[in-house]
Amino acid sequence: MGQLLRVQNFTVSSDGYGAGEGQSLERPFGHADPGTIMSWAGATASWPGRTDAGGSRGLDDYFTRDFGNNIGAEIMGRNKFGPQRGPWENEEWQGWWGDEPPFHTPVFVMTHHARPSFTLSDTTFHFVDGTPAAVLAQAKEAAQGQDVRLGGGVAINRAFLDAGLVDTLHVAVAPVKLGSGERLWESPEELDDRFHHDVVPSPSGVTHHLFWRK
Amino acid sequence: MGQLLRVQNFTVSSDGYGAGEGQSLERPFGHADPGTIMSWAGATASWPGRTDAGGSRGLDDYFTRDFGNNIGAEIMGRNKFGPQRGPWENEEWQGWWGDEPPFHTPVFVMTHHARPSFTLSDTTFHFVDGTPAAVLAQAKEAAQGQDVRLGGGVAINRAFLDAGLVDTLHVAVAPVKLGSGERLWESPEELDDRFHHDVVPSPSGVTHHLFWRK
């Protein structure tokens, strides 16, 4: 079947924003409240951040439990790793993901600023510069036959979509407006020229949009 | 989280039948046409029986690709293994599943008639007699911490439901009537006293019913 590049569980507001304005160390989503945007995922049994044994096992849980299914590497943008911009000033700070990052694979952080790789638990972060196609080639090799997850944020997803490299895309649209920030799209239908598109309303209130290459 | 007992991708007609009447070697679903009932699954990229590289990767594919996700054993009824009834007369015939069965785990076939275990590729079939609770205990031990799939057919699913042993249940309701055969339910709402219940219409025409324990 070949290795796919998959976007999974990427959540945007009803007006298409994946993050608000003004990202900082304390506010990774800027003025957006991640608790509101991501509440559909946090309510599921398979959400990686869950600390108790509860959680729903309905439709939304199929999406969160597919997160690591046959994934061998992730590509993410620098802003998903941390709020620093420009040359790395503090290499002791190892990103937003804690001592046990939820990725469990190699992660390729796209940045123009070199930095040595390091490992936290079973996740190794590599810092890579290059075109989307070149970074994808590195990630596919590291994934050893499994698929590659494209982890966002918005700018990275747009760059790989524009380069025609995304095979499947799952975006959950939350029933909340942000008004400004990092915008994935004005409307999901913008992608219909290139992708098949299932629209699946969830009982939780989000609408899942599933795209796969035509 | 503990080990779950999960029913997955079990498909019934709009009037609740999981198989037609008159099962035989040539017609595992009796008078029902499995091509019609199961077409939603056969159209997906992750369907185990797929022989080409195509297939949809929308909503229905989430269900077929979850088939083996964290599953360590399957329990099935004798009629899912083969059409023979009573004492085994032909042990050379090794079931409906071919030389490469799609299970890839130990499989526990429930039967009152003993027969030695055997292995085909990476699937080992065991033939076990006992209560649902006793067979589940065996399967959980074999699954080594992973979940157990309850593979059907109807009689087996009903027996485990009646014993209160099912943790999650996914039933796809196909837009076709059978009129007679093995009936899972008169209506999906029969289970609502014991389970949470998401109803998810798919663009393919089936309706996915997702139940998880209250």
Side-chain angles (χ1 to χ4, degrees):
Chain A
M1 298 282 174
Q3 290 173 278
L4 304 177
L5 181 64
R6 296 158 48 186
V7 175
Q8 298 179 270
N9 302 316
F10 195 75
T11 305
V12 302
S13 62
S14 60
D15 47 355
Y17 295 97
E21 290 183 290
Q23 187 189 47
S24 67
L25 182 63
E26 293 74 28
R27 295 196 64 86
F29 288 78
H31 84 282
D33 175 2
T36 303
I37 294 273
M38 295 300 294
S39 62
W40 72 271
T44 64
S46 302
W47 178 241
R50 174 163 291 282
T51 51
D52 61 75
S56 64
R57 297 184 183 276
L59 175 65
D60 293 339
D61 195 58
Y62 274 84
F63 295 102
T64 56
R65 76 178 182 245
D66 199 54
F67 177 74
N69 191 7
N70 197 41
I71 292 287
E74 164 150 337
I75 297 168
M76 66 169 65
R78 184 176 180 179
N79 297 359
K80 183 172 171 182
F81 175 78
Q84 298 180 58
R85 304 290 185 269
W88 298 99
E89 291 174 6
N90 178 3
E91 290 192 4
E92 282 178 33
W93 191 75
Q94 295 188 306
W96 266 314
W97 300 98
D99 294 337
E100 295 277 350
F103 308 108
H104 312 296
T105 65
V107 171
F108 294 83
V109 180
M110 291 181 73
T111 169
H112 299 305
H113 301 280
R115 174 173 172 169
S117 301
F118 63 85
T119 299
L120 290 171
S121 183
D122 54 359
T123 297
T124 297
F125 291 93
H126 302 288
F127 299 85
V128 294
D129 196 3
T131 64
V135 171
L136 179 58
Q138 281 183 276
K140 280 191 173 174
E141 188 176 350
Q144 299 185 313
Q146 293 190 297
D147 295 338
V148 175
R149 187 193 307 112
L150 184 61
V154 166
I156 290 294
N157 288 348
R158 288 284 358 156
F160 281 79
L161 281 168
D162 292 345
L165 296 172
V166 174
D167 295 299
T168 68
L169 176 74
H170 163 227
V171 178
V173 176
V176 55
K177 280 202 176 190
L178 277 181
S180 64
E182 305 250 358
R183 196 165 203 176
L184 180 67
W185 56 38
E186 294 195 21
S187 157
E189 285 70 38
E190 289 170 16
L191 302 178
D192 288 357
D193 56 334
R194 289 169 282 161
F195 291 95
H196 302 279
H197 180 188
D198 276 0
V199 181
V200 186
S202 169
S204 66
V206 300
T207 301
H208 298 286
H209 290 264
L210 310 173
F211 300 89
W212 67 105
R213 241 187 231 284
K214 278 184 178 169
Chain B
M1 298 284 175
Q3 291 173 279
L4 304 177
L5 181 64
R6 295 157 47 186
V7 175
Q8 297 179 270
N9 303 316
F10 194 76
T11 304
V12 302
S13 61
S14 60
D15 48 355
Y17 295 96
E21 290 183 291
Q23 188 190 46
S24 67
L25 182 62
E26 293 74 28
R27 295 196 64 85
F29 288 78
H31 86 282
D33 175 3
T36 303
I37 294 272
M38 294 301 295
S39 63
W40 73 271
T44 63
S46 303
W47 178 240
R50 174 164 291 282
T51 51
D52 61 73
S56 65
R57 296 184 184 276
L59 176 64
D60 294 340
D61 195 56
Y62 274 84
F63 295 102
T64 56
R65 77 177 181 246
D66 199 54
F67 177 74
N69 190 6
N70 197 41
I71 292 288
E74 165 151 335
I75 297 168
M76 66 169 64
R78 183 176 180 179
N79 297 359
K80 183 172 170 181
F81 174 79
Q84 297 181 56
R85 303 290 186 269
W88 299 98
E89 291 173 6
N90 178 4
E91 291 192 4
E92 284 179 30
W93 190 77
Q94 295 188 304
W96 266 314
W97 299 98
D99 295 337
E100 296 276 351
F103 307 108
H104 312 297
T105 66
V107 171
F108 294 83
V109 180
M110 291 182 73
T111 169
H112 299 305
H113 301 280
R115 174 173 173 171
S117 302
F118 63 86
T119 299
L120 291 170
S121 183
D122 54 0
T123 297
T124 297
F125 291 93
H126 302 288
F127 299 85
V128 293
D129 196 4
T131 64
V135 171
L136 178 57
Q138 281 184 277
K140 281 190 171 174
E141 189 176 350
Q144 298 186 312
Q146 294 191 297
D147 295 338
V148 175
R149 188 193 306 111
L150 184 61
V154 166
I156 290 293
N157 288 348
R158 289 287 354 160
F160 281 78
L161 281 168
D162 292 346
L165 297 171
V166 175
D167 295 299
T168 69
L169 176 73
H170 162 226
V171 179
V173 176
V176 54
K177 280 203 177 190
L178 277 180
S180 63
E182 305 250 359
R183 196 166 203 176
L184 180 66
W185 56 39
E186 295 195 19
S187 156
E189 285 70 38
E190 289 169 17
L191 302 178
D192 288 358
D193 56 335
R194 289 169 284 158
F195 292 95
H196 300 280
H197 180 188
D198 276 359
V199 181
V200 186
S202 170
S204 65
V206 300
T207 300
H208 298 286
H209 290 263
L210 309 174
F211 301 89
W212 66 104
R213 239 189 233 283
K214 279 183 179 171

